[in-house]
Amino acid sequence: MTDKTSLFETLNPPQRMLMGPGPINAYPRVHQAISQSLIGQYDPVMTGYMNQVQALYRGVFQTENKQTMLVDGTARSGIEAVLVSVLQPGDKVLIPVIGRFGHLLCEIAQRVGAEVKTIDIEWGEVCSPEQVEKAIKQYQPKLLATVQGDTSTTMNQPLKEMGEICERHGVLFYCDATASIAGNDLKVDEWHLDAVSAGLQKCLGGPSGSAPITLSDRCAEVINRRKHVEAGIRADHHEQGEDAMIQSNYFDLAMIMDYWGPERLNHHTEATSMLYAARECARLFLEEGPDEVIGRHKQAGDALATGLRAMGLELFGNQTYKMNNVVGVYIPANVDGDAIRRELLTCFGIEIGTSFGPLHGKIWRIGTMGYNARQECVLTTLAALESILVKHKAAIQPGQAVAAAMEFYL
């Protein structure tokens, strides 16, 4: 019999202002959506919501792609679903690595059995179109896989010219837009992207746990050549693909497309509450307007960056290519960066991030995303960070940061 003393306390997490590189605080309307009643996966209301989600995310992705849907899982599940469904063992994939998440694409592609060629870029810079075209001509890959906004370096990789290059050379073009979507321009059809995956927990302003994806007709055709229908649900009219079966059942996008398609061919049980969340995230984005939301992220990001500079801090990376929604800033000399972060959390309830690999302990990453891309969040974070740095006798210019940032909101 369970000892009631081992059941722990009633769940009551502390209120935090999440100003790191993600996750962030969800929009209140998203919390409300998640709390709605559960219904069955084949209830006509539920399948109607699924159709709505597809239509809404075509607007978010700026695409006409029929195959636009959700993968149930965190943003990484969308990445893995695309790579495991498109790439077969021995396929060549070209990956520009501008930060930690480019390395993640490499690892997933290697686990699939693909032959990976990288373009290694110094952290804080982005890959040029000339580098991509040269590598495509030399390597002749099946797929170019990129990260648009890599939060590890706060850089935003330009995609338009890469898409034009891939189009010319017949190369499929995939982008992980988890950290950039809804805070930076992303034009799937105009930029010739064949596959894009994302997540809710950054600029879309939702919880982690659902991965919106979109696939071009060309990409969907490549995936469907590997189509396999499970024996338990296969009927006489189902046709199997001629290429090798996708080596994951859960992340098999051919089966997921069928689940989201008119036949509703069973694959998994849709994560109802997360679908509600994803639906509301898209509604909020399109209701406010894509240009307005992206502009709000740019305003908040520029205000934060200007405030940090006014404080006397140095920003990390090539600012020409900075993401709108995450700022990298060098930790001042002679202070303990992790101690500052802990004190910011315990005294003010504000979370900011450190970084990975060669940047760990050298920079902080401060995000202004989704619901937190607001004036009060920016100004409160600057004021709190300044007060703690003053306490720790950091060499900064006090009294300047908030005033400089407020200029963006006059």
Side-chain angles (χ1 to χ4, degrees):
M1 187 172 182
T2 303
D3 180 358
K4 290 185 179 180
T5 63
S6 69
L7 297 180
F8 308 108
E9 72 280 4
T10 300
L11 193 66
N12 185 29
Q15 295 294 314
R16 306 291 198 201
M17 186 187 294
L18 302 180
M19 298 296 288
I24 48 76
N25 301 94
Y27 289 107
R29 274 172 48 183
V30 174
H31 285 289
Q32 185 180 43
I34 292 171
S35 70
Q36 298 302 311
S37 299
L38 300 181
I39 53 179
Q41 63 177 325
Y42 297 118
D43 187 309
V45 176
M46 179 64 177
T47 54
Y49 289 154
M50 292 172 73
N51 291 340
Q52 290 174 6
V53 164
Q54 291 184 287
L56 288 165
Y57 276 91
R58 290 185 190 108
V60 173
F61 282 118
Q62 297 192 38
T63 183
E64 298 296 324
N65 288 342
K66 176 184 176 183
Q67 301 301 343
T68 301
M69 68 208 84
L70 304 177
V71 174
D72 288 345
T74 64
R76 190 174 297 211
S77 72
I79 299 170
E80 187 149 350
V82 171
L83 294 181
V84 76
S85 298
V86 171
L87 295 172
Q88 300 185 47
D91 281 344
K92 293 180 179 180
V93 57
L94 177 64
I95 303 176
V97 177
I98 66 170
R100 179 251 169 123
F101 295 101
H103 288 296
L104 173 63
L105 299 188
C106 293
E107 173 161 328
I108 295 173
Q110 287 165 349
R111 287 174 180 264
V112 170
E115 295 182 14
V116 176
K117 172 73 173 177
T118 62
I119 304 174
D120 297 308
I121 304 298
E122 179 184 354
W123 285 28
E125 297 289 342
V126 297
C127 187
S128 72
E130 293 77 18
Q131 289 172 295
V132 169
E133 184 152 32
K134 180 180 178 182
I136 283 177
K137 288 178 178 177
Q138 291 177 341
Y139 191 58
Q140 298 184 333
K142 176 181 183 179
L143 179 73
L144 173 69
T146 61
V147 176
Q148 185 183 27
D150 196 313
T151 55
S152 67
T153 66
T154 73
M155 293 296 103
N156 190 49
Q157 173 65 57
L159 300 175
K160 181 179 179 181
E161 289 180 278
M162 286 187 177
E164 293 168 350
I165 292 165
C166 288
E167 183 83 358
R168 285 202 307 272
H169 293 278
V171 175
L172 291 169
F173 187 19
Y174 161 65
C175 174
D176 164 26
T178 300
S180 53
I181 193 170
N184 306 266
D185 280 331
L186 177 66
K187 300 178 180 180
V188 170
D189 288 356
E190 184 179 326
W191 294 351
H192 305 292
L193 284 151
D194 290 293
V196 181
S197 66
L200 304 184
Q201 74 274 18
K202 311 278 188 176
C203 302
L204 281 168
S208 177
S210 184
I213 68 166
T214 188
L215 307 170
S216 70
D217 289 347
R218 180 170 69 144
C219 188
E221 182 182 347
V222 168
I223 293 168
N224 276 323
R225 287 203 291 267
R226 305 179 68 187
K227 185 172 181 175
H228 168 79
V229 180
E230 294 174 3
I233 57 174
R234 189 185 309 145
D236 291 343
H237 68 278
H238 291 135
E239 295 182 3
Q240 305 286 69
E242 63 269 23
D243 287 354
M245 182 171 62
I246 294 166
Q247 295 299 297
S248 169
N249 179 286
Y250 188 73
F251 294 130
D252 185 324
L253 285 180
M255 291 202 287
I256 293 173
M257 285 189 281
D258 278 344
Y259 179 64
W260 281 80
E263 193 173 1
R264 303 290 176 190
L265 196 60
N266 183 258
H267 176 253
H268 63 284
T269 301
E270 180 57 28
T272 310
S273 297
M274 284 306 306
L275 181 134
Y276 295 166
R279 179 179 179 274
E280 196 61 24
C281 287
R283 288 183 71 237
L284 283 159
F285 176 75
L286 296 171
E287 181 181 295
E288 185 176 348
D291 291 343
E292 289 73 17
V293 178
I294 293 168
R296 174 163 58 84
H297 281 83
K298 184 176 186 336
Q299 181 184 41
D302 288 349
L304 178 66
T306 299
L308 292 168
R309 276 185 168 139
M311 201 187 299
L313 301 180
E314 181 186 356
L315 303 186
F316 171 77
N318 185 339
Q319 296 301 294
T320 302
Y321 299 107
K322 182 187 81 65
M323 298 169 68
N324 288 334
N325 51 296
V326 188
V327 176
V329 58
Y330 283 102
I331 299 168
N334 304 316
V335 300
D336 183 335
D338 288 339
I340 300 293
R341 290 175 58 241
R342 283 194 301 271
E343 199 162 333
L344 195 61
L345 186 67
T346 56
C347 294
F348 291 92
I350 298 174
E351 178 181 280
I352 64 173
T354 182
S355 193
F356 308 104
L359 296 179
H360 180 74
K362 294 182 180 179
I363 70 168
W364 292 311
R365 296 174 300 149
I366 308 177
T368 50
M369 292 187 264
Y371 184 58
N372 292 348
R374 294 179 286 139
Q375 175 179 338
E376 55 266 45
C377 295
V378 172
L379 301 185
T380 301
T381 300
L382 286 169
L385 179 60
E386 179 184 293
S387 67
I388 294 174
L389 287 173
V390 168
K391 178 186 172 185
H392 284 257
K393 297 180 171 53
I396 64 168
Q397 300 294 321
Q400 305 298 314
V402 170
M406 285 180 71
E407 292 293 322
F408 286 83
Y409 292 100
L410 296 177

